[in-house]
Amino acid sequence: MKKIAVIGSGTMGNGIAHTFAQFGYQVNLVDVRGEALEQAMVTISKNLDRQVAKEVITGKDKTIILGNISTFSDLKTGVAEADLVVEAATENMELKLKIFKDLDAFAPKEAILASNTSSISITRIASATERRDRIIGMHFMNPVPVMKLVEVIRGYATSDQTTNIIMDLSRKLSKVPVEVNDYPGFVANRILMPMINEAIYSLYEGVAGVREIDTVMTLGMAHPMGPLQLADFIGLDVCLAIMQVLHEGFANPKYAPCPLLVNMVTAGKKGVKSGEGFYDYSQGIKNPEVSAKFSK
Ligand SMILES: NC(=O)c1ccc[n+]([C@@H]2O[C@H](COP(=O)([O-])OP(=O)(O)OC[C@H]3O[C@@H](n4cnc5c(N)ncnc54)[C@H](O)[C@@H]3O)[C@@H](O)[C@H]2O)c1
C-alpha cells in the first residue's frame, strides 16, 4: 500500500487525507467541487500548524506532509494508480452506488475499495461492483487526525485477506481498528444514535431541559459532551438519517426517530452547521446558550 485515493474532501475526507499523508503515503484527494478541494487544503494546513504548535510534528514535517497530497477533480485520473481508495463523499446511498460503480471501472483491478460511511450497508455498496471480496468499511471518527478508533466493517463477501490488510494498515496509521460485521449502524452508531434519540425524547416529553439532560450525562456518566450538544456537532440531519437506517434496517419501533428531531430537521435547525439546534451557535461554538426555543 503506497498510493491512496480519498474521494470527497469535506470534514472527513480532508482528515483522512491528512492522516495518510502524515504517515508517508501518497494521497490523491478527489472532489467534484474545486472550492471544496481548496478549502480542504487550507483546513489541513491549519490542522498541521496545530500539530507543529503542540510539537507532534516539526515545521519541516508539515511541508513534507502537504507535499504528499495532490488534488483532483476528475475521479478517473485520481484513482488510476491507487492501491486503496477510501470513499468519504456525501452520505447518500444512490451517490455511493454510482461512485463505487465508477471506482470499480477506473481503479486498478487489485485495489481495495473502502467506504467511510456512517451507516450505509457495505454489502449493498459492494453489490455495485465486480470485486465484492475487496470492498470494506473503514469508518474513521471525527476529527480523524486525533481520534484513535477505526471501525472496520466486513461486508457479507469481504475476504479475510482484505480485512487483515485494512486492520494492519489502520495500525500503521497509529489507530486502533475494531472489526465488526455489516448490520445497520454497525456498532458505533447502533449504540450512540439510540442514546442521542432517547435524550431528545427526554426533552420532547418534558422530563428535563437541554442543559439538565446534558449535565446528567457529562457529570453523571463522565461523557466529554452531553448527547444533545453532541447531536448538534454531528448534525441533526445526519442523526435523523442514521435513525432512519436503524428503523428501516431492523423494522423495530424502538428505533423510531423522535418527532422533535424530525421537526427540527424539517425546520432547517441542523445544529452547529446551521447555527442553531438544541443550542444557539450564532456567537460561536464555545459555551453556546440553549436555543431560545428550549430556554424556560
Ligand atoms: N461528519 C462526521 O462526523 C462523520 C463521521 C464518520 C463518518 N462520516 C461519513 O463520512 C462521509 C463524508 O461525510 P462528511 O461529514 O465529510 O461530509 P461533507 O459534506 O463534509 O463532505 C462530503 C464531500 O463529498 C463531496 N462529493 C459529493 N459527491 C462527490 C463525488 N461524486 N465525487 C467526489 N466527491 C464528492 C462533496 O463535494 C463534499 O466536499 C459520509 O459517508 C459520512 O456518513 C462522517
Side-chain angles (χ1 to χ4, degrees):
M1 290 277 165
K2 286 194 178 126
K3 295 190 173 174
I4 315 292
V6 177
I7 314 304
S9 65
T11 312
M12 296 304 287
N14 77 59
I16 295 168
H18 172 150
T19 303
F20 274 106
Q22 185 178 339
F23 285 86
Y25 296 88
Q26 294 299 314
V27 179
N28 285 358
L29 183 56
V30 182
D31 203 299
V32 281
R33 292 185 306 119
E35 70 271 24
L37 287 169
E38 281 169 29
Q39 183 55 50
M41 293 312 292
V42 171
T43 304
I44 293 171
S45 180
K46 274 191 198 154
N47 289 340
L48 287 169
D49 284 338
R50 216 168 283 155
Q51 287 177 306
V52 173
K54 287 186 183 160
E55 298 184 0
V56 176
I57 58 169
T58 64
K60 197 173 157 215
D61 292 334
K62 178 187 166 182
T63 313
I64 295 170
I65 294 167
L66 284 175
N68 285 344
I69 306 175
S70 311
T71 56
F72 292 79
S73 50
D74 176 46
L75 184 83
K76 191 173 178 179
T77 328
V79 304
E81 294 177 1
D83 300 312
L84 167 71
V85 180
V86 182
E87 173 275 323
T90 315
E91 184 81 340
N92 174 294
M93 168 83 86
E94 295 311 314
L95 176 72
K96 292 206 194 275
L97 294 180
K98 166 83 174 76
I99 290 176
F100 273 79
K101 194 163 184 287
D102 290 345
L103 290 176
D104 198 30
F106 302 143
K109 282 287 159 245
E110 62 284 2
I112 292 176
L113 309 180
S115 177
N116 182 55
T117 178
S118 307
S119 62
I120 294 174
S121 161
I122 299 300
T123 309
R124 181 86 176 87
I125 288 174
S127 71
T129 76
E130 299 295 327
R131 58 175 100 185
R132 299 176 187 191
D133 59 321
R134 269 164 291 141
I135 308 296
I136 194 160
M138 200 174 184
H139 185 202
F140 291 89
M141 306 291 132
N142 185 21
V144 182
V146 177
M147 297 289 279
K148 281 282 178 200
L149 179 70
V150 181
E151 197 179 26
V152 175
I153 303 124
R154 289 185 76 128
Y156 196 86
T158 308
S159 68
D160 288 344
Q161 194 192 8
T162 299
T163 308
N164 292 337
I165 290 172
I166 295 302
M167 296 287 287
D168 285 346
L169 179 64
S170 303
R171 291 186 194 102
K172 286 185 183 138
L173 299 174
S174 195
K175 304 288 185 205
V176 178
V178 171
E179 185 183 325
V180 311
N181 288 314
D182 181 29
Y183 290 100
F186 317 133
V187 170
N189 282 314
R190 181 170 177 170
I191 296 172
L192 176 66
M193 282 304 155
M195 184 195 72
I196 285 177
N197 198 45
E198 206 57 35
I200 302 171
Y201 263 114
S202 303
L203 177 69
Y204 171 68
E205 292 173 359
V207 180
V210 169
R211 270 235 204 265
E212 289 73 14
I213 292 168
D214 276 355
T215 303
V216 167
M217 298 306 284
T218 49
L219 297 188
M221 314 298 158
H223 289 195
M225 191 184 274
L228 298 175
Q229 191 170 14
L230 179 59
D232 277 354
F233 272 80
I234 293 170
L236 300 189
D237 52 338
V238 176
C239 294
L240 177 59
I242 296 172
M243 284 311 296
Q244 284 164 337
V245 167
L246 292 172
H247 194 210
E248 269 174 38
F250 291 114
N252 186 333
K254 79 174 180 179
Y255 296 110
C258 178
L260 174 59
L261 173 63
V262 177
N263 264 359
M264 290 175 75
V265 174
T266 309
K269 306 296 181 193
K270 297 180 185 172
V272 173
K273 68 174 98 167
S274 71
E276 190 187 340
F278 297 103
Y279 294 84
D280 184 337
Y281 301 93
S282 52
Q283 305 303 316
I285 58 173
K286 279 198 177 154
N287 307 318
E289 293 295 326
V290 171
S291 154
K293 185 85 183 164
F294 303 113
S295 54
K296 289 178 191 137

